[in-house]
Amino acid sequence: MESDENKSKDFKNIRGGDHSHIKGWGIDADSKNDPTYPIKKRTDEEHEGYEWERPTQQKVDVEILKSIERPNITAVFGTSVPPSGLSGAIRRKAFEKGEGSYGRWLPLILADRIGVYEGIIDDLKKGIMPNTFAERGWGAEWKYNRKNFLIKTAVGALVVAGSVAILISSNREKSYSK
Amino acid sequence: MLAMNFRGAFKVRADYDMPYPEIEHPGDAIVRVLRSCICGSDLHLYHGLVPDTRVGMTFGHEFVGEIVDIGSDVKNVKTGDKVIVPFNISCGKCVFCKQELYGNCHEANPQATAVGGIFGYSHTAGGYNGGQAEYVRVPYADVGPTVIPEWMDLDDAVLLTDIVPTGYQAAEMGGIQKGDTVVVFGAGPIGIMAAKCAWLFGAGRVIVIDELEYRLEFVKKYAQCEVYNFKSLEDPVVFIKKTTDSLGADVCIDAVGAEAAGDAMNTLLGRKLLLQGGSTTALHWAINSVKKGGIVSIVGIYGPTACLVPMGNVVNKGITIRANQAAVKRLLPRLIEHVKNGVIDPKQLITHRIPLEEVAEGYHIFSTKLDNCIKPVLIPPTANS
Ligand SMILES: NC(=O)c1ccc[n+]([C@@H]2O[C@H](COP(=O)([O-])OP(=O)(O)OC[C@H]3O[C@@H](n4cnc5c(N)ncnc54)[C@H](O)[C@@H]3O)[C@@H](O)[C@H]2O)c1
Ligand SMILES: [Zn+2]
Ligand SMILES: [Zn+2]
């Protein structure tokens, strides 16, 4: 049985090879039977496998997480926001799994959520106060949806005021019952 | 420099302290951005649906600009050229690029083999900063960037980076034969362009389905098609069957993707719990409304995890499914001709022109469909200098 460990190196489809030992080989081949037309312009080059003359390799001077489904880092890549902190550690783990695995994608989503908090801490360290109103673009509500915006804000304020009132009164009750 | 800075789901800011891009590879160019759109695809990032979208990244894959610096290997463009930059990053040398599958390049995204490299589209698409910025790094500058013809308006040019080719390819993949009935799900910029282009392939009847009345109004005029609001249809599939002699459409196009509305279960699993790669409601409708032996063309984007689709119906009806990221470079020559001859007038779709400084409001407007927004374009302050 062939397996990852013992499979032969030249495990390869030699196209254009001799198939005359197979009765009827190719007698129904039809080059028009190609649903990829006209999206894919077929050439025979792909038959060689990953053998093309690669573009110059970009210098890898930041940490790049590579899919385990390919042998190398692509000739170019983006260098924005390398992995860091707890979210980075989770991303590194996630990239140990194949692209078809939930074990890869769900941790990445978790890392994204953690990254948001790391971002807030980063901001605070730089003296930037997070401005949710501006970052959520709520100014646009004021411009284009004022009525709804006022209602939403009023409801929001009422909910907050209500919760505070309940908290205060339940605290009072607690203190009375002592 | 000034650039969009992602801070987490629904939060972005215009950040004046983002670093200038640098030449990082001899094939790179640096482009001063003149126009940069927000795309429906950006909304998937903005809503936190795409895994490995890192805080601090700049989005933006639909931009045009002026080349201000080039790497030592760049021959086909020079500083001062104003260029259309396709949203896909492609090397031109791998076997996929050589077969014109420019959206599927194998040398542009180390993070995932299933996805090509895309500007400003998370690390799942290569980790590149995008063009919602004053300046942007453009790799493989000899391959993608195409000089904007003298006569072309920048507003038309910027829509050639993505939505025009994507709408066109959606129709092309439908394999439309003369007289065919084509149903397009989604009346966003992509669906609008798909409906417009369906006629170019000889469609006999074009129907667009959405829930936003203002978009349906727009596409009805712009693409001279029939429109129906799915909110007022009890069952969109039954309706389409009824209106197509009970057999179904010849071709259905999914121009909605992961954030489809219209079905509570799909919304819960795909958009709230993220247990599938998006809500597949429009795709369900497409598969179920197409006739036996028909074709479903998918350009709507879904996440990398599995999605629930009615596979049994695909098999039993003998449906052909065709899908891809648009190969912008392949289509540009033809589409530039169409714009020149007035066959397609892209810039009519632009409803909002927003200074890059107000990028957060731009996202909010497009995401919540405020003020009848169809397509917003961001204009960096440096575009006017
Ligand atoms: N394949 C590609 O190359 C490519 C390129 C660009 C965009 N896209 C994708 O195309 C899709 C559309 O992009 P857009 O910019 O037009 O986005 P958009 O968000 O502006 O438009 C989507 C439209 O779909 C409508 N809709 C929601 N649920 C629906 C349903 N069940 N049936 C019918 N319509 C429904 C919405 O009301 C909205 O008008 C997105 O998924 C985007 O990521 C793909
Ligand atoms: Zn786009
Ligand atoms: Zn390539």
Side-chain angles (χ1 to χ4, degrees):
Chain A
M1 192 65 169
E2 295 273 0
S3 74
D4 243 14
E5 287 73 41
N6 68 9
K7 78 163 197 270
S8 51
K9 284 235 164 49
D10 53 354
F11 199 71
K12 205 171 173 177
N13 174 3
I14 312 294
R15 311 231 181 192
D18 179 15
H19 294 94
S20 58
H21 56 291
I22 294 168
K23 192 173 177 189
W25 183 83
I27 56 176
D28 290 336
D30 175 2
S31 65
K32 279 217 189 102
N33 181 3
D34 178 7
T36 67
Y37 175 85
I39 312 300
K40 177 174 176 180
K41 192 170 140 208
R42 280 190 191 274
T43 67
D44 287 338
E45 277 153 298
E46 68 176 314
H47 299 167
E48 299 306 314
Y50 193 179
E51 295 290 334
W52 57 84
E53 185 206 331
R54 298 185 62 220
T56 313
Q57 178 67 50
Q58 178 180 337
K59 219 168 104 207
V60 184
D61 45 16
V62 295
E63 182 182 357
I64 297 297
L65 299 177
K66 181 186 77 63
S67 165
I68 59 167
E69 296 189 24
R70 58 175 303 131
N72 56 7
I73 288 185
T74 49
V76 307
F77 49 84
T79 49
S80 75
V81 208
S84 70
L86 176 60
S87 66
I90 297 172
R91 290 188 214 282
R92 284 181 202 109
K93 259 334 243 181
F95 270 78
E96 291 172 7
K97 293 275 195 279
E99 289 172 40
S101 166
Y102 275 99
R104 173 192 173 103
W105 300 110
L106 296 179
L108 284 176
I109 291 173
L110 174 69
D112 291 347
R113 303 297 178 265
I114 291 170
V116 175
Y117 294 101
E118 292 172 337
I120 294 172
I121 293 167
D122 258 13
D123 271 353
L124 291 173
K125 276 192 199 150
K126 287 185 205 147
I128 303 169
M129 282 308 279
N131 182 346
T132 303
F133 186 92
E135 286 176 353
R136 287 188 164 245
W138 278 335
E141 288 285 335
W142 181 248
K143 237 185 258 167
Y144 299 114
N145 202 16
R146 194 164 300 178
K147 215 164 101 194
N148 256 351
F149 183 65
L150 287 174
I151 294 171
K152 265 193 224 157
T153 323
V155 170
L158 275 178
V159 169
V160 171
S163 329
V164 170
I166 290 168
L167 278 177
I168 290 173
S169 69
S170 68
N171 274 346
R172 274 210 196 112
E173 272 162 31
K174 268 185 213 148
S175 50
Y176 284 139
S177 62
K178 250 182 215 163
Chain B
M1 67 164 183
L2 173 63
M4 176 272 199
N5 180 338
F6 175 67
R7 305 311 299 168
F10 296 94
K11 288 193 293 183
V12 304
R13 67 171 172 245
D15 193 330
Y16 289 85
D17 293 321
M18 297 294 268
Y20 279 91
E22 285 170 21
I23 301 272
E24 299 183 50
H25 181 274
D28 286 357
I30 304 296
V31 165
R32 177 171 69 97
V33 177
L34 298 171
R35 298 277 185 284
S36 187
C37 290
I38 305 176
C39 175
S41 302
D42 291 326
L43 294 182
H44 308 325
L45 299 174
Y46 179 68
H47 296 155
L49 299 178
V50 181
D52 216 357
T53 305
R54 301 184 193 169
V55 164
M57 175 173 213
T58 299
F59 298 169
H61 58 268
E62 302 184 358
F63 59 89
V64 292
E66 180 186 344
I67 295 187
V68 292
D69 197 3
I70 52 172
S72 53
D73 285 354
V74 177
K75 304 271 177 319
N76 299 343
V77 286
K78 54 184 190 309
T79 55
D81 281 351
K82 291 194 173 138
V83 288
I84 296 169
V85 182
F87 77 84
N88 351 77
I89 298 170
S90 28
C91 75
K93 285 191 161 177
C94 73
V95 293
F96 305 109
C97 285
K98 282 199 169 158
Q99 298 180 87
E100 301 197 338
L101 295 170
Y102 295 109
N104 313 99
C105 177
H106 206 63
E107 293 288 3
N109 176 11
Q111 276 93 356
T113 57
V115 192
I118 302 176
F119 290 98
Y121 209 73
S122 84
H123 279 69
T124 295
Y128 298 90
N129 276 324
Q132 290 165 9
E134 289 181 307
Y135 295 89
V136 58
R137 169 193 171 213
V138 174
Y140 299 134
D142 266 344
V143 183
T146 300
V147 174
I148 303 174
E150 280 291 325
W151 50 266
M152 187 179 277
D153 194 310
L154 285 179
D155 288 348
D156 284 327
V158 73
L159 298 180
L160 285 172
T161 60
D162 182 344
I163 68 155
V164 183
T166 300
Y168 185 90
Q169 186 166 322
E172 187 186 41
M173 290 190 300
I176 300 167
Q177 301 296 306
K178 283 191 177 155
D180 275 359
T181 295
V182 180
V183 179
V184 180
F185 292 93
I190 303 296
I192 294 170
M193 275 302 159
K196 180 92 187 162
C197 294
W199 296 118
L200 307 185
F201 294 93
R205 188 177 174 200
V206 179
I207 297 171
V208 176
I209 308 278
D210 200 298
E211 63 173 333
L212 298 173
E213 213 45 56
Y214 76 91
R215 289 187 167 194
L216 290 172
E217 277 305 311
F218 179 87
V219 69
K220 185 176 171 182
K221 281 202 211 92
Y222 182 80
Q224 296 144 287
C225 57
E226 281 170 62
V227 299
Y228 299 99
N229 189 324
F230 69 76
K231 277 203 297 204
S232 54
L233 304 173
E234 200 183 315
D235 182 333
V237 174
V238 174
F239 172 78
I240 291 166
K241 289 279 174 66
K242 279 189 183 151
T243 183
T244 51
D245 291 335
S246 79
L247 296 181
D250 299 288
V251 176
C252 283
I253 295 174
D254 172 0
V256 179
E259 297 193 57
D263 180 76
M265 178 71 152
N266 253 319
T267 300
L268 179 70
L269 290 178
R271 291 167 64 188
K272 305 288 180 217
L273 301 177
L274 303 191
L275 289 180
Q276 56 169 342
S279 154
T280 52
T281 307
L283 187 51
H284 269 253
W285 292 348
I287 289 169
N288 293 338
S289 315
V290 82
K291 70 167 58 150
K292 293 173 188 173
I295 298 177
V296 171
S297 161
I298 312 173
V299 285
I301 293 295
Y302 294 91
T305 42
C307 285
L308 293 171
V309 286
M311 210 58 213
N313 293 352
V314 173
V315 177
N316 291 332
K317 290 169 74 173
I319 294 169
T320 301
I321 292 185
R322 300 179 78 184
N324 209 339
Q325 297 279 352
V328 177
K329 182 183 160 64
R330 173 176 67 85
L331 295 169
L332 272 182
R334 183 73 178 151
L335 293 173
I336 288 173
E337 218 175 288
H338 284 337
V339 173
K340 188 173 187 186
N341 298 330
V343 173
I344 302 175
D345 176 8
K347 64 176 175 299
Q348 274 193 49
L349 268 66
I350 295 177
T351 48
H352 290 73
R353 309 171 69 78
I354 298 167
L356 180 59
E357 295 90 320
E358 293 168 24
V359 62
E361 295 192 5
Y363 268 89
H364 186 82
I365 292 170
F366 188 46
S367 166
T368 47
K369 317 295 187 231
L370 281 182
D371 196 34
N372 291 353
C373 185
I374 294 177
K375 190 72 179 171
V377 56
L378 299 166
I379 305 181
T382 39
N384 305 317
S385 60

